[in-house]
Amino acid sequence: MTSPAEMANAIRFLTMDAVEAAQSGHPGMPMGMADVATVLFTRFLKFDASRPDWADRDRFVLSAGHGSMLLYALGYLTGYPDLSDIAELRNFRQLGARTAGHPEHGHVAIAETTTGPLGQGIANAVGFALGERMLAARHGDLVDHHTYVIAGDGCLMEGISQEAISLAGHWRLSKLIVLWDDNHICIDGDTALSGSDDQLARFAASNWDVARVDGHDHEAIAQAIAAARASDRPSLIACRTTIGRGAPSKGGTEKVHGAPLGAEEIAAARRALAWPHAPFEIPAEILAAWRAAGRRGAEARAAWEAKLAAAPGRAAFEQALTNPLPEGWRDAVLAFKRKIAAEQPKWATRKASQQALEVLTEAIPALIGGSADLTHSNLTVTKATKSVTPEDFSGRYLHYGVREHGMAAIMNGLALHGGFIPYGGTFLIFANYLWPALRMSAMMQQRVLYVLTHDSIGLGEDGPTHQPIETLAALRATPGVLVFRPCDPVETIEAYEAALEAQGPSVLALSRQNLPTLRTIHSDDNLTRCGGYILAEADLEERKVTLIATGSEVSLALEAKDLLEAQGIGTAVVSLPCWELFERQTKEYRSAVLGEGTVRVAVEALGTFGWERWVGTEGAVIGMTGFGASGPAPALYQHFGITAQAVADAALARL
Amino acid sequence: MTSPAEMANAIRFLTMDAVEAAQSGHPGMPMGMADVATVLFTRFLKFDASRPDWADRDRFVLSAGHGSMLLYALGYLTGYPDLSDIAELRNFRQLGARTAGHPEHGHVAIAETTTGPLGQGIANAVGFALGERMLAARHGDLVDHHTYVIAGDGCLMEGISQEAISLAGHWRLSKLIVLWDDNHICIDGDTALSGSDDQLARFAASNWDVARVDGHDHEAIAQAIAAARASDRPSLIACRTTIGRGAPSKGGTEKVHGAPLGAEEIAAARRALAWPHAPFEIPAEILAAWRAAGRRGAEARAAWEAKLAAAPGRAAFEQALTNPLPEGWRDAVLAFKRKIAAEQPKWATRKASQQALEVLTEAIPALIGGSADLTHSNLTVTKATKSVTPEDFSGRYLHYGVREHGMAAIMNGLALHGGFIPYGGTFLIFANYLWPALRMSAMMQQRVLYVLTHDSIGLGEDGPTHQPIETLAALRATPGVLVFRPCDPVETIEAYEAALEAQGPSVLALSRQNLPTLRTIHSDDNLTRCGGYILAEADLEERKVTLIATGSEVSLALEAKDLLEAQGIGTAVVSLPCWELFERQTKEYRSAVLGEGTVRVAVEALGTFGWERWVGTEGAVIGMTGFGASGPAPALYQHFGITAQAVADAALARL
């Protein structure tokens, strides 16, 4: 009969062997948390390793992603199809292997989310647990699962963890259970070097249930998890562990955190734990015990499938999870565009966004909103999106508080969970608070919409701390994000349409200040989907100048065009709302739009970094070269020389 | 006899009037916290308004920077020279006025730091309080002051606040006192919409002293501050206030947070508070009482100056505060460069950085180090920098824990406090966690050094979550930062030299992997100070190709040069370690370096965004166009086509 201790040791040796083979990796955490993971996966976690796509499975998040070998060992042992071959573990950290240095969503099914940057996982998990409650509010008992997290000291030190635990406690996400690897060791040495927080008191202050156990005592762990499952609040279980448990001389020290143990230490561990088996060799009996644990949930999964098959809400549930964009949603987009072209309102694009969201949230039930406490500035709430509260998860609007980073990571969790397309608002400048999570949206290609208003010095009096300069460049430099800066209501809803079609995240950079409607002739085509296009061709026969602008500066470019054409210079205006989509067009299309051989001047009321891509080294860029200032927006545009005249002058100087 | 209540009302009416005049701003906080601020400034704060530069003054940080009118009103009322003219308040939020929308360090003396992005101020304040302790450990009783903070709900919601309060409690910074504007209102509405934390319990969990008072009861406030000053721990005082107190109908609601009250409401406030005076008019008696409060500290200041004059350590103290770079420090730089040119070690630039820091920390006592729990990876500790501990502040090395954002904001506080040049380490990718604080380093032009190692896909197995792609572009796009990516030990110490000379922050992007020494011929000149230079001119007579590289890819460019010259193509290699400094050179210099008319190819093992600035639209950039992967570094360079052959091929294709 295989003992739980032997099963845990299987994790330990797979970890030691894989890190040793790779000569790279982090053995300490998987070895320290092997007992906790064994208890969780063999006695509590609701899953069927053969069917990782079971919608109502419990979610397990390894927030301390450097301990990726824990996940891969569990995947192999329980028999996830994509990890059931030991060769995957032998290839740990090699190019092309599924078993990447940190767990990557999409590489292995057991990785519910990509983790590694500390604190992201625990915040994603809050999104998972929130998604569970919100989906259950819509689909009843088809949805009823837990979210478990293993987090390390680093996760709890990162500020994002506070944002996440505050919200989890506020929302009373009782099915969220965090197992903290309380090993007293960080990379620099003892955690006492850099902290003396009472973590249990801290979590309790945010309305969590808290407990402390010996992380190597299987029965104590099981009792704590059972108690946490019975709680009406989210739970933290501090699991007091020895990092690298099993390594006779390095265990319990920072030496075991992030480096191979070495052949000698591993041999000593084999002796100490009475594990005579060769590297990567798991005795058949132990493997069988693990594989049986991996199928523990098979019956429950089959029962759930039967329930789903018979459920009256089956179609709605499946649609929510597989294709949350309902048939006909584009009709709403077209109707909106027609109306705008006819009425030509003078709206800030944040206002245009609100009007677009009214239409879209009405048409797309999966679309859920929120803001980092700037609802009335971002204009992100709509008639269809009533607030989610701790008492009622049927709402569609989340008050994240002033927690941009937590908001973004929670949106990632919501998107990964399935059933929702989340959007969240803050000021564009505060993209710098949420950047690490947005990067994860991009890496995981999750459909998360960032509604970022007050998108230039045009926000005015709030001054340089609030005026984005480098922000758009940073976002454009980030792979896998669509960055839209629409110029009017038509481009705004077109940007939403393109964002909703996309596989990955999108940013909508929106103005605070009012702007004219420029797309006054209705077209069924989504021109924004091309990334850039000629908004106004030269009125004079020959185009000599091409002015390129985005967002609030497109109307300014049109004024500059008038100035130039009054002097007999044929001038076209290109609206370039999305660089990334423009780059996907053919070279011919791009050349035709940009006017190869014409003088090119770009204008954007943010930093100029990166614009040489479109105007070349010979062109001009009118924009900001330093931080902004506090003052009314029109005064700032004058002061910083972002004017139609300056654009025209720059063109003239180059003709 | 002027009452404290009247004095507080003076703050309220200046606030209402200034926001009304500007038709923009945030009246709620200054009105709500007017009583607390009155107690603090009239009874506790050690300052002399006539001499804001008094080194041993108490520091006051308005973390809730949107309430800037509180600061400006206090500055005017107490008689700070640069605010003593009421015209400054009448110009609130106008272009060119000192009274910017958010308090800007350098615009008004009373702004010890620039605040506005929430949570930055409270973290800066931890840096101030830490700087006080560290400076006191060096200069004895010449340094003995408190740091007071007014923080709002938003500050406490931001994750960075947790990082800061954890460290403050850990370090037992007992002279740090945070006055929390506990008004139960955030922008979206009641704070209960988005949180239900027990803040007192939260701070207590991080070893703070905590108290709760009626924020409109002057005696209660005074008793709480007195008790906090007597504590041996940092203190949080929850001041229960009514936001916009004094506004009869809007007070206590989110309506008063961020918009003018309107003439009618202000008139009603004047009646309710029996304040018949015209806008911006403070009765002489009340102003006199305030101005007297502003000079309360004059005697103490004079006594301190006398003490300083007589102190044996006077010269050292003054040097620390005014010019912390001691005479002769450059000799150490030159000696290091000579030694390297002779010995030509094969070091990773992170290792070169460690060796440079050994030399620099030895030569410059004000240079203090630290890391966000990556000391042994960043290689940031030196023999001269022993650890700071809660018991001993004479050390020079800070263990920040996994708190990158807090680290950066605390470094800002240390730099602003004076006496120190802080550097702090983490991986380059985690610049995205600390970006908002780095932006403040740049805006305030503080000499803070960011030592960011593992600076490309060259870090290898840790994979895409840890491989910076967009990071350098984002940093280069940020105004006011010098971003260095040195190629070898000589450039590394040159980068440090240039960073130490600079007024603002610098980033050093450093490799994990070993690299050859390329600057093998010693030069007394700091070539890195030019930003870019010809490292190797074409060996063949005519230069046809210019290869441009930074950091670890410079040696790769040299290999490519060999490939090209073997085919008879004259090829020069330009090292471009700092774009910002290169941009400051003359156009002629830049053209000569970049080889106007030659085929230009850039290579950098990160994202390519922004490189068109140097190679034009006709040149080539060899780099990353998506996220990285997990694998050994050499395999990754091959896989992503960042090779000498690829560089040579790109040049050949363009010849």
Side-chain angles (χ1 to χ4, degrees), chain A residues 93 102 118 158-159 163 188 194 197-198 205-206 373 375 403-404 433 439 462 467 470 612-613, chain B residues 93 102 118 158-159 163 166 188 194 197-198 205-206 373 375 403-404 433 439 462 467 470 612-613:
Chain A
R93 289 186 155 231
H102 291 81
L118 294 177
E158 290 286 2
E163 301 182 15
D188 275 10
S194 59
D197 298 309
D198 179 342
S206 290
D373 197 37
T375 295
R403 304 182 184 95
E404 299 85 2
Y433 275 73
R439 187 176 209 255
D462 274 347
Q467 289 163 359
E470 67 281 19
E612 289 88 353
R613 177 164 298 178
Chain B
R93 289 187 155 230
H102 291 81
L118 294 176
E158 290 286 2
E163 301 182 14
S166 284
D188 275 11
S194 59
D197 298 310
D198 179 342
S206 290
D373 197 38
T375 294
R403 302 182 185 97
E404 301 84 5
Y433 275 74
R439 187 176 209 255
D462 273 349
Q467 290 164 358
E470 68 281 19
E612 290 89 353
R613 177 164 298 178

Side-chain angles (χ1 to χ4, degrees), chain A residues 22 24 26 93-96 99-102 104 114-120 154 157-160 162-163 165-167 169-170 186-189 192-198 201-202 205-207 254 371 373-377 387 397 399-405 429-433 435-436 439-440 442-443 461-471 473-474 476-480 579 608-610 612-617 625-627 629-632 635-636 639, chain B residues 22 24 26 93-96 99-102 104 114-120 154 157-160 162-163 165-167 169-170 186-189 192-198 201-202 205-207 254 371 373-377 387 397 399-405 429-433 435-436 439-440 442-443 461-471 473-474 476-480 579 608-610 612-617 625-627 629-632 635-636 639:
Chain A
S24 161
H26 299 77
R93 289 186 155 231
Q94 301 313 300
L95 185 59
T99 47
H102 291 81
E104 294 185 41
T114 298
T115 51
L118 294 177
Q120 297 297 324
M157 290 183 193
E158 290 286 2
I160 189 177
Q162 183 65 24
E163 301 182 15
I165 71 170
S166 283
L167 286 170
H170 176 65
C186 57
I187 295 181
D188 275 10
L193 276 174
S194 59
S196 40
D197 298 309
D198 179 342
R202 173 190 167 203
S206 290
N207 302 299
E254 70 273 19
S371 168
D373 197 37
L374 287 169
T375 295
H376 311 312
S377 297
S387 296
Y397 194 83
H399 294 278
Y400 292 102
V402 190
R403 304 182 184 95
E404 299 85 2
H405 198 180
I429 186 59
F430 299 130
N432 64 13
Y433 275 73
W435 192 20
R439 187 176 209 255
M440 301 313 292
M443 197 175 293
E461 291 88 346
D462 274 347
T465 55
H466 284 55
Q467 289 163 359
I469 301 295
E470 67 281 19
T471 319
R476 287 170 177 156
T478 306
W579 292 21
T608 57
F609 194 89
E612 289 88 353
R613 177 164 298 178
W614 308 120
V615 302
T617 47
T625 54
F627 290 111
S630 172
L636 295 176
H639 175 71
Chain B
S24 163
H26 300 77
R93 289 187 155 230
Q94 301 313 300
L95 184 60
T99 47
H102 291 81
E104 293 185 41
T114 297
T115 52
L118 294 176
Q120 297 297 325
M157 290 184 195
E158 290 286 2
I160 188 177
Q162 183 65 24
E163 301 182 14
I165 70 169
S166 284
L167 287 170
H170 176 63
C186 58
I187 295 182
D188 275 11
L193 276 174
S194 59
S196 39
D197 298 310
D198 179 342
R202 173 188 167 205
S206 290
N207 303 298
E254 71 273 18
S371 168
D373 197 38
L374 288 169
T375 294
H376 311 311
S377 297
S387 295
Y397 194 84
H399 294 278
Y400 291 103
V402 191
R403 302 182 185 97
E404 301 84 5
H405 197 181
I429 186 60
F430 299 130
N432 66 12
Y433 275 74
W435 192 21
R439 187 176 209 255
M440 301 313 292
M443 198 176 292
E461 291 88 345
D462 273 349
T465 55
H466 284 55
Q467 290 164 358
I469 301 295
E470 68 281 19
T471 319
R476 287 169 176 157
T478 306
W579 292 22
T608 58
F609 194 89
E612 290 89 353
R613 177 164 298 178
W614 308 121
V615 302
T617 47
T625 53
F627 290 111
S630 172
L636 294 176
H639 177 71

Side-chain angles (χ1 to χ4, degrees), chain A residues 5 15 19 33 118 195 203 257 269 283 318 325 347 456 505 514 566 579:
Chain A
T15 297
V19 172
M33 287 296 278
L118 294 177
F203 276 74
H257 166 80
E318 289 182 338
L325 293 174
W347 288 340
S456 76
N514 287 340
W579 292 21

Side-chain angles (χ1 to χ4, degrees), chain A residues 384-555:
Chain A
T385 57
K386 69 169 180 162
S387 296
V388 169
T389 71
E391 294 77 29
D392 182 1
F393 289 92
S394 70
R396 292 171 56 189
Y397 194 83
L398 295 155
H399 294 278
Y400 292 102
V402 190
R403 304 182 184 95
E404 299 85 2
H405 198 180
M407 172 175 76
I410 289 169
M411 289 199 294
N412 284 340
L414 286 164
L416 286 160
H417 182 278
F420 300 104
I421 303 172
Y423 68 86
T426 183
F427 289 161
L428 178 58
I429 186 59
F430 299 130
N432 64 13
Y433 275 73
L434 60 75
W435 192 20
L438 182 142
R439 187 176 209 255
M440 301 313 292
S441 310
M443 197 175 293
M444 295 190 281
Q445 286 296 283
Q446 292 302 301
R447 186 162 44 184
V448 172
L449 277 55
Y450 293 88
V451 181
L452 304 179
T453 68
H454 297 61
D455 72 345
S456 76
I457 60 163
L459 65 83
E461 291 88 346
D462 274 347
T465 55
H466 284 55
Q467 289 163 359
I469 301 295
E470 67 281 19
T471 319
L472 269 191
L475 293 169
R476 287 170 177 156
T478 306
V481 189
L482 297 181
V483 182
F484 296 95
R485 192 165 184 257
C487 70
D488 79 349
V490 174
E491 276 195 4
T492 301
I493 200 160
E494 286 183 345
Y496 273 111
E497 187 180 19
L500 288 165
E501 294 163 353
Q503 294 304 307
S506 295
V507 164
L508 287 98
L510 303 167
S511 78
R512 175 183 186 235
Q513 70 272 33
N514 287 340
L515 302 169
T517 294
L518 302 177
R519 290 276 299 283
T520 52
I521 297 164
H522 174 71
S523 152
D524 274 5
D525 289 343
N526 181 334
L527 301 184
T528 301
R529 201 184 279 141
C530 305
Y533 59 94
I534 299 171
L535 177 70
E537 194 37 285
D539 293 318
L540 304 173
E541 256 177 50
E542 192 194 356
R543 192 213 301 194
K544 288 186 180 151
V545 170
T546 305
L547 306 179
I548 312 170
T550 75
S552 45
E553 283 67 68
V554 176
S555 51

